[in-house]
């Protein structure tokens, strides 16, 4: 069973920045694509950003240009740097690696004035 450990969530004001981390201990992390999804109340889960093991990044339309995904295979960790946060970014952010897909528990990010 692959366990993903997420950290870095919290509450910020609009326009501020926040970083998330997700660590996958005990796996050959470089074999996996890794990234983040999010789910807001009453909405479907959506892609935030994904980074392949070859270094190709894909971003959701709503975050493109504001968020940056990166990874450190030596630390089995994927990062999400979120800038210029908006209230619409409020959601539970869920780490994902795969294939096959493995999911974290999710971490709350709240953007509110």
């Amino acid at each position: 069973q692959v366990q993903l450990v997420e950290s870095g969530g919290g509450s910020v004001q609009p326009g501020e920045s926040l970083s998330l981390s997700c660590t996958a201990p005990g796996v050959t992390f470089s074999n996996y694509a890794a990234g983040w999804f999010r789910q807001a109340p009453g909405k479907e889960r959506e892609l935030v950003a994904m980074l392949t093991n070859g270094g190709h990044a894909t971003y959701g339309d709503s975050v493109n240009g504001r968020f940056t995904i990166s990874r450190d295979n030596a630390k089995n960790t994927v990062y999400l740097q979120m800038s210029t946060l908006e209230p619409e970014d409020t959601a539970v952010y869920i780490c994902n690696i795969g294939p096959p897909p493995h999911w974290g528990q999710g971490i709350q990010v709240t953007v509110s004035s």
Side-chain angles (χ1 to χ4, degrees):
Q1 182 74 15
V2 175
Q3 292 188 330
L4 304 181
V5 181
E6 299 145 323
S7 62
S11 296
V12 296
Q13 295 188 345
E16 294 186 338
S17 299
L18 198 62
S19 294
L20 303 180
S21 300
C22 173
T23 300
V27 302
T28 306
F29 192 70
S30 58
N31 288 348
Y32 293 91
W36 299 87
F37 288 72
R38 69 186 183 186
Q39 189 163 17
K43 294 188 177 181
E44 294 187 354
R45 186 172 295 187
E46 63 173 354
L47 172 70
V48 177
M50 186 63 62
L51 188 58
T52 69
N53 55 0
H56 178 72
T58 300
Y59 294 94
D61 289 342
S62 61
V63 307
N64 201 11
R66 299 187 296 121
F67 291 11
T68 302
I69 190 170
S70 61
R71 63 191 292 163
D72 185 338
N73 289 338
K75 296 182 178 180
N76 281 28
T77 300
V78 59
Y79 305 95
L80 184 68
Q81 175 66 41
M82 304 183 289
S83 302
T84 321
L85 283 160
E86 303 169 351
E88 292 74 21
D89 296 315
T90 296
V92 175
Y93 285 68
I94 308 159
C95 181
N96 169 270
I97 68 170
H102 302 284
W103 298 93
Q105 293 294 313
I107 192 165
Q108 180 69 43
V109 171
T110 302
V111 185
S112 174
S113 56

